[in-house]
Amino acid sequence: MVLGLALPSPRRARHVLGRNLVIYRRAWPLLATGVLEPLFYLLSIGLGLGHLVGRVDFAGHELAYKQFVAPALLAAAAMNGAILDTTYNLYYKLKIAKTYEGVLATPLSTADVALGEIGWAVARGAAYSATFLGVMAALGLVPSPWGLCCVPAAALVAYAFAATGMAATSYMRSWQDLDIVALALVPMFLFSATFYPLTAYVGWLAVVVQCTPLYQGVLLARSLDIGTVGWSLALNAAYLVVMGLAAMVITGRRLERLLAA
Amino acid sequence: MVSARGLTKRFGSSEAVAGIDFSIRRGEVFGFLGPNGAGKTSTMRMIACMSPASEGTLRVRGLDPSRDGPTIRAGLGVVPQQDTLDMELTVLDNLLVYGRYFDLSRRVVRERAERLLDFAQLSERAGSRVDDLSGGMRRRLTIARALISSPELVILDEPTTGLDPQARHLVWERLYRLRQEGVTLIVTTHYMDEAEQLCDRLVVMDKGTIVGEGSPRELVDKHVSREVLEVRLGEGGHERLAGDVRGRVERVEVLADRVCCYGDNGDEMLALVHGLGYQPENTLVRRGSLEDVFLRLTGRSLVE
C-alpha cells in the first residue's frame, strides 16, 4: 500500500498489454499512423518550410532547421500518441464499452488496469519513436550517438502524458469533455519551443513555456539528438517522472471510485 | 463456501445491504430472490470481491475479500447483470484474452476456450464480433467466459433477465450441467420460476434485508397454503369479495387486478366464491409459489 492505494502487479498488468496487442494485431494500419504523423510534419515543416527559415541557434550550436525541429517532433508525437490512447480510447473502454468491469472480476485490480494501460501507451510510444528515429537517421538528422537515448526520452514523455491523460479521462462525463484535452494539447504542441527557439519569447513568456511538460520532452530529445548533454537534463527528466507518478496516484484513486465502489 | 455475518453496504447515506447473514455450502445452487433494488447486486459484488463491504464479516472460500481479493477472484467465475464482454474482440478472443487475465498458459486457455464455445453452443460463431450476437448468445458467451478459470464457485447476477423463453431454458439447462459437475452456483433473480427451477436453497431479499430463507419447497410450505385461487372480477368488487370470504379461507390478499385466496383446496374455494353469487371474469387454481411467499413476506408483489 502506498498513499492508501494497493500497488499494481506487473505480472498481472502485462495481460492488459496482451489484450491491446490482440486488437492491434488485427488493425496494424492504425499503428502506422503513429509514425506517419511526425513524418508528415518533418517533411512539410522541417524540410519544406525549413528552406525559407535557414539556420537556428540552439545551446550555442547553429542547426539546420530540419535538425532543430525533428527531435521536437519525436517528443511531440510521443505526447500525442499517449494522449490519444488514454483519452478517447480509454474513455470508450471505461464509460461506453465497460470493458474494465469484466476485467475486474478476474484477479486484476484497478491498479493493474492503470499500470497495464499506461504500460501499453509507453510501449507504443517507444516503438513509434524508435521507428521515427530510424527515419531521422536515414535523413542524417541524428549526429550524435546520444541520439539513441531519444527513445527512452520519448518513452518517458509517453509515460508522463499517458498517466495524466488517464487521470483526466477519469473525470470526463461525456465525449464533449474530451475536447478540453485538445484545448490544452494543441497550444502545448505549437508553443513549447517545438518549432522555434525559446529566445523568440519575451522574458516572462519564456519562463511560462519552460514550465510546460512538453517543453521538458522537447529539450530532452533535442539535446540528446545533437549530443549537448549535461546534468541539467536530469531535472527535465525528473519533472516528467514526478508528473507521471502524481497522475498515477490520482488515476488509482479515481478508478477505485469509479469501478470498485 | 461463502459466509456472511452482518454484511452491510452503504453508498453515501443510503444502505443498499443492511446487515445480512447467510452461508452457502459447497456444491449447492443458492439463490437471492428479490425485486430490483433489494440489494442483490450489491451483495453479489461484495462476494465477487469487486466492491468492499462497509461493515460486517464476509468469507469467500475461507478467505477475506478485503485482504485476499485477487486470490479469491482467481477461483471465481462472475456473470454480471450486464454483459461486460470485450466489444473490440471476437467471440473466441474474448475467451482467450479473459483466460490470460487469470494468468493461465496460452495452451490451457485455448483448450478450455474450444470446450467452452461448444458448451455455450457458439463454436460456429468463434470469429464473430460480439456486436453481431443475439442477447441469448451474448449471455451464453458471458457464462462461458466466467468458466474459463474452471472456478469452483460461479456467481450469476440475473442470468436470464431480458432473454426470451427459449434462450432462458437453454441457459438453465447449462447451469444444471454445471451443478452436476459439482460447481457451486450463486444466482440472483427476480423471477420466481427461475428461483424454483434452479435453487436448492435461497434467501428472499427486500430493501437490503433478508426476510425469508430455505428451500423453495420449505418456503412455500412455511409461508403459503398448498393451493391458491386467483379471482378476477370484471368491475371492481375485489375488496367486497375479500371481505365475504375472509375467515372462510386460510388467508386472502387483494392485488391491483385480482384477489388471491389461500387454502388447502382450490376447487372448494372456487365453489365458495360461486356460492356467494360472484360471477368472476376468470379464475385460476394453482399451487402456492415463491411469488406468494414474497407477497406474504413483504406485502408486495415481486415483479411490479
Side-chain angles (χ1 to χ4, degrees):
Chain A
M1 300 280 275
V2 171
L3 300 171
L5 287 169
L7 287 176
S9 141
R11 186 182 166 80
R12 293 193 299 254
R14 78 195 151 103
H15 298 309
V16 175
L17 271 83
R19 177 230 175 235
N20 292 342
L21 206 59
V22 168
I23 291 166
Y24 281 92
R25 237 184 4 220
R26 306 233 154 112
W28 61 267
L30 280 179
L31 280 177
T33 58
V35 177
L36 290 177
E37 183 207 291
L39 187 60
F40 289 157
Y41 275 112
L42 181 61
L43 293 177
S44 65
I45 294 178
L47 274 65
L49 203 61
H51 275 298
L52 310 173
V53 176
R55 301 185 79 79
V56 182
D57 181 70
F58 173 72
H61 295 256
E62 284 267 296
L63 302 180
Y65 186 65
K66 58 187 176 183
Q67 176 67 73
F68 177 80
V69 95
L73 290 171
L74 181 116
M79 170 183 83
N80 285 330
I83 288 289
L84 189 70
D85 255 336
T86 55
T87 54
Y88 286 90
N89 294 356
L90 193 88
Y91 186 79
Y92 173 77
K93 288 190 261 190
L94 189 64
K95 298 282 175 79
I96 311 294
K98 313 260 182 207
T99 310
Y100 300 126
E101 297 192 11
V103 176
L104 292 175
T106 73
L108 269 68
S109 66
T110 50
D112 299 331
V113 167
L115 182 66
E117 291 292 2
I118 291 168
W120 166 252
V122 172
R124 253 178 91 166
Y128 290 159
S129 45
T131 314
F132 186 65
L133 193 71
V135 174
M136 282 168 58
L139 294 169
L141 297 176
V142 189
S144 158
W146 280 103
L148 279 176
C149 293
C150 282
V151 175
L156 186 58
V157 171
Y159 164 68
F161 279 97
T164 307
M166 209 165 170
T169 302
S170 71
Y171 287 97
M172 306 279 167
R173 290 150 304 168
S174 66
W175 289 110
Q176 279 71 42
D177 285 352
L178 289 165
D179 292 342
I180 299 168
V181 173
L183 204 64
L185 229 58
V186 172
M188 194 146 42
F189 173 55
L190 293 174
F191 301 124
S192 295
T194 331
F195 296 104
Y196 44 83
L198 198 61
T199 48
Y201 292 106
V202 292
W204 67 272
L205 211 48
V207 173
V208 172
V209 168
Q210 288 180 79
C211 291
T212 67
L214 182 58
Y215 177 81
Q216 323 301 319
V218 167
L219 189 69
L220 274 171
R222 193 173 278 147
S223 305
L224 291 165
D225 185 37
I226 61 171
T228 55
V229 177
W231 283 109
S232 71
L233 290 184
L235 280 177
N236 305 108
Y239 177 114
L240 295 171
V241 170
V242 170
M243 171 177 163
L245 288 175
M248 273 182 101
V249 171
I250 296 171
T251 302
R253 298 214 162 153
R254 288 289 302 165
L255 289 190
E256 196 70 14
R257 242 182 96 165
L258 289 173
L259 298 169
Chain B
M1 203 61 158
V2 183
S3 69
R5 203 141 282 287
L7 186 63
T8 303
K9 181 72 195 182
R10 275 186 287 269
F11 295 104
S13 60
S14 75
E15 207 164 51
V17 179
I20 59 172
D21 301 344
F22 58 85
S23 79
I24 300 169
R25 299 176 205 132
R26 183 176 293 273
E28 72 179 343
V29 181
F30 191 90
F32 287 82
L33 175 71
N36 293 330
K40 304 186 303 281
T41 297
S42 297
T43 307
M44 290 308 105
R45 286 177 57 84
M46 287 190 280
I47 299 175
C49 312
M50 295 170 73
S51 157
S54 308
E55 229 174 83
T57 54
L58 177 65
R59 290 290 175 276
V60 184
R61 299 167 65 227
L63 300 170
D64 178 357
S66 67
R67 283 208 342 256
D68 307 308
T71 315
I72 297 174
R73 290 198 299 267
L76 221 65
V78 178
V79 176
Q81 202 172 117
Q82 240 95 57
D83 294 316
T84 52
L85 294 165
D86 200 321
M87 307 299 280
E88 295 174 85
L89 298 173
T90 63
V91 168
L92 177 63
D93 280 342
N94 255 285
L95 296 179
L96 296 179
V97 167
Y98 209 74
R100 295 288 290 154
Y101 293 148
F102 288 88
D103 228 356
L104 302 167
S105 77
R106 285 195 174 77
R107 193 179 51 79
V108 168
V109 172
R110 185 159 283 279
E111 259 169 38
R112 289 188 188 169
E114 272 161 30
R115 202 163 39 75
L116 286 169
L117 280 183
D118 193 42
F119 172 83
Q121 302 190 340
L122 287 169
S123 300
E124 323 265 273
R125 308 299 299 263
S128 299
R129 287 165 44 90
V130 171
D131 260 337
D132 300 334
L133 300 183
S134 71
M137 289 175 177
R138 281 191 207 190
R139 210 64 191 137
R140 291 190 328 255
L141 179 57
T142 303
I143 293 172
R145 189 184 69 168
L147 298 175
I148 195 82
S149 62
S150 295
E152 48 180 6
L153 173 62
V154 179
I155 297 171
L156 302 111
D157 197 358
E158 306 204 355
T160 66
T161 298
L163 300 188
D164 61 49
Q166 233 179 331
R168 294 182 76 197
H169 280 281
L170 186 53
V171 168
W172 287 347
E173 192 262 318
R174 298 292 121 154
L175 295 181
Y176 279 131
R177 251 213 249 174
L178 284 177
R179 184 189 183 283
Q180 275 164 2
E181 289 166 18
V183 178
T184 309
L185 301 177
I186 304 179
V187 180
T188 78
T189 181
H190 57 248
Y191 296 121
M192 55 120 188
D193 56 340
E194 183 158 80
E196 262 161 17
Q197 290 254 357
L198 286 176
C199 299
D200 299 312
R201 283 196 313 135
L202 58 95
V203 292
V204 180
M205 279 190 87
D206 186 42
K207 295 178 181 157
T209 61
I210 289 176
V211 293
E213 176 172 8
S215 73
R217 199 69 258 156
E218 281 166 13
L219 280 165
V220 171
D221 287 348
K222 187 168 167 200
H223 299 286
V224 193
S225 59
R226 209 169 69 84
E227 294 203 330
V228 182
L229 167 69
E230 292 189 11
V231 183
R232 283 189 174 78
L233 294 173
E235 72 303 323
H238 285 152
E239 286 292 349
R240 194 163 59 83
L241 169 64
D244 285 349
V245 299
R246 192 161 282 137
R248 304 172 71 174
V249 299
E250 246 175 63
R251 204 163 54 81
V252 59
E253 292 271 1
V254 182
L255 303 181
D257 61 339
R258 62 192 190 274
V259 177
C260 293
C261 303
Y262 297 88
D264 277 339
N265 189 322
D267 291 329
E268 278 175 15
M269 292 191 285
L270 182 57
L272 171 71
V273 169
H274 282 143
L276 287 165
Y278 287 97
Q279 313 252 288
E281 205 164 65
N282 67 52
T283 60
L284 170 71
V285 173
R286 58 172 177 79
R287 296 182 68 84
S289 72
L290 285 174
E291 177 78 49
D292 303 304
V293 172
F294 190 79
L295 183 69
R296 182 74 208 268
L297 291 173
T298 67
R300 293 176 298 115
S301 45
L302 198 48
V303 184
E304 276 151 351

